[in-house]
Amino acid sequence: MQTATVSESESGKFLEILGKVFPFLLSSDWGMFIVRKSAHFMEYFILGILLCMEFSTYLYGFLNRISIPVLTGLFIAFVDETIQLFVPGRSGEVRDMWIDFAGVALGTLIVLAIVNNKRGRKRY
């Protein structure tokens, strides 16, 4: 919901911090792009983890456990990008929805892998 200038300012501060550890980010125009898209991915990666943990408590069947959190995350990404169409200086991008979708999917898959691994162990 932030305007483009506010959002870019915050990303710029984070880019300065990361630039101390990864100087190549400051040497090109790609640095800001990488930081902003990585933020998209991480936000939705965490969302995927949270959604999967929430839904996995009462959903049965592997297909339901993966599809419900991932499709919910995709819907949230769609709404988020649609809202950005009405914020000055911002735009909704399909590329961002794909990045968001990948984050949700990976977060969901990791949680399911951990949960299924714990269930499959035999205790002696």
Side-chain angles (χ1 to χ4, degrees):
M1 298 293 289
Q2 298 173 331
T3 61
T5 54
V6 173
S7 178
E8 194 166 317
S9 172
E10 287 185 3
S11 296
K13 292 174 188 174
F14 196 68
L15 179 61
E16 286 178 27
I17 295 168
L18 282 176
K20 293 177 183 175
V21 179
F22 304 106
F24 70 90
L25 290 174
L26 298 173
S27 64
S28 71
D29 294 334
W30 284 95
M32 182 65 79
F33 178 81
I34 291 170
V35 166
R36 293 180 72 89
K37 301 312 169 190
S38 297
H40 264 273
F41 183 84
M42 288 307 298
E43 285 178 73
Y44 282 85
F45 175 78
I46 293 167
L47 179 64
I49 290 171
L50 296 173
L51 286 171
C52 187
M53 290 171 59
E54 175 62 28
F55 287 127
S56 69
T57 58
Y58 57 86
L59 287 176
Y60 298 99
F62 183 75
L63 189 60
N64 285 337
R65 286 188 176 167
I66 195 168
S67 63
I68 302 296
V70 169
L71 292 175
T72 302
L74 182 61
F75 176 73
I76 292 169
F78 174 78
V79 170
D80 181 38
E81 292 301 317
T82 302
I83 289 170
Q84 288 184 27
L85 295 173
F86 303 102
V87 177
R90 303 288 298 265
S91 63
E93 298 184 14
V94 174
R95 172 182 51 204
D96 288 346
M97 285 181 53
W98 280 109
I99 293 169
D100 300 344
F101 176 75
V104 168
L106 184 62
T108 300
L109 288 173
I110 287 173
V111 169
L112 288 176
I114 291 169
V115 167
N116 288 335
N117 188 31
K118 287 183 179 180
R119 289 183 185 161
R121 288 189 196 156
K122 293 181 180 179
R123 295 186 183 180
Y124 297 101

